[in-house]
């Protein structure tokens, strides 16, 4: 069963008493030979879905985990290390967030910070030095730009010798860009502010639809990435890189939410093709990256093309944990010089994002289509070979879902 300890209490304003023996100005490196206990880890953005899985996996591996979540972020996993702490939302005030985090790391004797939310990954890539002596399990600014900026990723793939779809980056409205042949996937080069009018990835099949999709993205002040849509088998890659190499698992994508140009919502975990992990290894090693990563790739006629890269656990982080790969422990171990045991992969199961499939259910038109998906989800509930995330029996998740519906 997936972890489900959600905090519903009011944020605490008390600062817990800290253990003695942590001299100001000392570094994790200086303390390592003298520490008998595992390092202290802070998990940033402890909400559903990667938060509970990553936090519970870390605690199961013996790390001391402090869970943190935005002050206005609703429910979140609280863990067992002093409950949930709240931070200023970086979307509203980045400076206040960084200042809060630096103070919290000092007060709580934090050794390693793990960002789970894309905005925080990007902020700490630029400003992670502000937290020292605490370390950040994430990329530096150059690595983030090379892999997570969708407009730069094709260049990085070329340097690494990794295939990718034909891509054009549109930066203005001049119309001079050499666009790839239709059909295309059009998406923002960078993460945008969350909102109803924010353009997401979109598949277009006509010149007019492509021009409209590009204009919507440029109106938000970021370049538009136009890729040739490839037809093949899509894979989700969940991995971590340390001094020993790349450890991870890949899953065949069966469906996405939404069904066209969406994120994987139903994945099958069986044997991971060597070519899929080899592409991930070449790409990550090309920028000397060590840490957690999630890649979307597509296999076309035996050739694996990279679509997207995130340098953090995916929303479907429960898949990797259930498969036996504790990505966060591998990343922390590499930072502090403690290599965990090589993962023993568990295969032969299906991962289903319940929230993703319920979103598709609401968007489907036609009674038959909705009924077919509802019946399929009901079968998933009773299928021992299927991992539903979150579990439909999770009372805290159900309460949170009902609260969100009433809130709307």
């Amino acid at each position: 069963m997936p972890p489900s300890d959600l905090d519903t209490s009011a944020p605490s304003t008390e600062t817990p008493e800290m253990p003695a023996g942590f001299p100001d100005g000392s570094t994790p490196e200086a303390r390592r030979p003298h520490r008998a206990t595992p390092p202290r880890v802070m998990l940033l953005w402890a909400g559903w879905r990667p938060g509970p899985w990553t936090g519970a996996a870390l605690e199961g591996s013996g790390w001391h985990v402090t869970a943190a979540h935005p002050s206005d972020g609703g429910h979140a996993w609280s863990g067992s290390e002093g409950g949930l702490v709240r931070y200023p939302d970086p979307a509203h005030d980045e400076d206040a967030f960084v200042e809060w985090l630096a103070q919290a790391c000092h007060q709580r004797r934090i050794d390693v910070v793990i960002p789970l939310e894309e905005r925080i990954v990007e902020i700490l890539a630029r400003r992670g030095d502000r937290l020292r002596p605490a370390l950040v399990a994430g990329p530096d600014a150059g690595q983030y730009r090379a892999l997570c900026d969708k407009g730069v990723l094709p260049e990085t793939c070329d340097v690494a010798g990794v295939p990718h779809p034909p891509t054009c980056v549109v930066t203005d409205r001049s119309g001079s860009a050499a666009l790839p042949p239709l059909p295309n996937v059009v998406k923002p080069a960078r993460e945008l502010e969350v909102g109803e009018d924010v353009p997401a990835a979109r598949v277009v099949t006509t010149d007019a639809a492509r021009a409209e999709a590009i204009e919507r993205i440029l109106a938000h002040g970021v370049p538009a990435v136009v890729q040739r849509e490839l037809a093949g088998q899509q894979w989700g890659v969940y991995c971590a890189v340390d001094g020993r190499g790349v450890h991870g698992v890949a899953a065949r994508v069966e469906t996405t939410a939404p069904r066209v140009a969406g994120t994987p919502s139903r994945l099958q975990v069986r044997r991971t093709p060597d070519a899929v992990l080899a592409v991930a290894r070449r790409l990550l090693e090309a920028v000397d990256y060590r840490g957690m990563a999630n890649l979307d790739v597509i296999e076309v006629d035996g050739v694996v093309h990279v679509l997207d890269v995130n340098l953090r656990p995916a929303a479907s982080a429960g898949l990797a944990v259930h498969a036996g790969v504790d990505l966060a422990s591998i990343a922390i171990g590499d930072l502090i010089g403690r290599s965990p045991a090589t993962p023993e992969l568990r295969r032969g199961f299906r991962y289903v994002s319940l929230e993703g499939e319920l979103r598709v259910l609401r968007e489907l038109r036609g009674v038959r289509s909705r009924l077919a998906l509802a019946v399929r989800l009901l079968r998933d509930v009773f299928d021992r070979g299927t991992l539903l995330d979150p579990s439909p029996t999770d009372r805290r998740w159900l309460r949170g879902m009902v609260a969100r519906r009433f809130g709307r």
Side-chain angles (χ1 to χ4, degrees), residues 5-165:
D5 186 8
L6 299 184
D7 176 82
T8 57
S9 60
S12 172
T13 58
E14 298 181 359
T15 300
E17 182 179 354
M18 299 301 161
F22 185 77
D24 290 340
S26 65
T27 64
E29 289 81 0
R31 297 196 329 275
R32 280 174 201 155
H34 310 290
R35 278 184 77 106
T37 59
R40 296 182 176 273
V41 180
M42 177 173 284
L43 203 63
L44 288 167
W45 197 83
W48 207 267
R49 294 152 48 210
W53 281 105
T54 304
L58 285 169
E59 288 191 340
S61 296
W63 309 111
H64 295 303
V65 182
T66 296
H69 203 61
S71 55
D72 57 353
H75 302 303
W77 178 82
S78 60
S80 58
E81 280 290 307
L84 185 70
V85 297
R86 299 280 185 168
Y87 55 78
D89 192 337
H92 301 149
D93 192 334
E94 179 180 314
D95 290 337
F97 164 74
V98 174
E99 183 62 26
W100 175 91
L101 183 56
Q103 293 181 6
C105 288
H106 173 74
Q107 292 173 346
R108 294 174 175 271
R109 313 300 197 257
I110 299 299
D111 295 293
V112 181
V113 172
I114 300 181
L116 299 182
E117 193 265 333
E118 186 67 21
R119 181 186 303 278
I120 299 178
V121 174
E122 190 274 332
I123 290 173
L124 295 187
R126 291 185 284 109
R127 306 178 67 175
D129 288 349
R130 178 71 179 81
L131 311 184
R132 291 188 180 277
L135 305 174
V136 177
D140 61 29
Q143 293 164 339
Y144 184 88
R145 182 176 182 273
L147 296 175
C148 299
D149 187 322
K150 297 175 178 59
V152 179
L153 178 59
E155 301 176 19
T156 309
C157 288
D158 289 339
V159 171
V162 170
H164 62 86

Side-chain angles (χ1 to χ4, degrees), residues 150-158 161-169 178-181 183-187 225-234 279 283 296-300 303-309:
K150 297 175 178 59
V152 179
L153 178 59
E155 301 176 19
T156 309
C157 288
D158 289 339
V162 170
H164 62 86
T167 303
C168 174
V169 181
L179 300 174
N184 295 149
V185 177
V186 183
K187 53 192 175 183
V225 175
V226 183
Q227 285 185 331
R228 175 70 184 271
E229 184 189 27
L230 301 181
Q233 175 59 58
Q234 190 172 345
V279 163
L283 184 61
D296 290 327
V297 304
I298 188 167
E299 185 180 6
V300 182
V303 178
V304 179
H305 302 255
V306 174
L307 301 177
D308 284 307
V309 178

Side-chain angles (χ1 to χ4, degrees), residues 357-369:
E357 290 296 273
L358 288 177
R359 187 165 61 250
V360 172
L361 183 64
R362 292 193 297 268
E363 296 171 353
L364 282 176
R365 303 195 176 192
V367 175
R368 288 188 177 181
S369 298

Side-chain angles (χ1 to χ4, degrees), residues 268-358:
Q268 181 71 44
V269 180
R270 292 197 181 279
R271 187 187 67 83
T272 298
D274 294 337
V276 172
L277 281 183
V279 163
R281 184 185 69 252
R282 290 206 307 272
L283 184 61
L284 298 173
E285 289 180 350
V287 298
D288 196 28
Y289 176 72
R290 288 163 73 153
M292 293 170 282
N294 167 240
L295 293 82
D296 290 327
V297 304
I298 188 167
E299 185 180 6
V300 182
D301 296 329
V303 178
V304 179
H305 302 255
V306 174
L307 301 177
D308 284 307
V309 178
N310 293 302
L311 300 180
R312 54 173 172 78
S316 49
L319 183 151
V321 175
H322 192 67
V325 187
D326 186 353
L327 302 178
S329 286
I330 294 173
I332 294 173
D334 190 60
L335 279 175
I336 67 172
R338 294 186 187 178
S339 296
T342 302
E344 295 183 7
L345 294 182
R346 172 181 180 178
R347 303 182 180 90
F349 70 93
R350 176 176 284 108
Y351 173 91
V352 177
S353 166
L354 180 57
E355 290 186 338
E357 290 296 273
L358 288 177

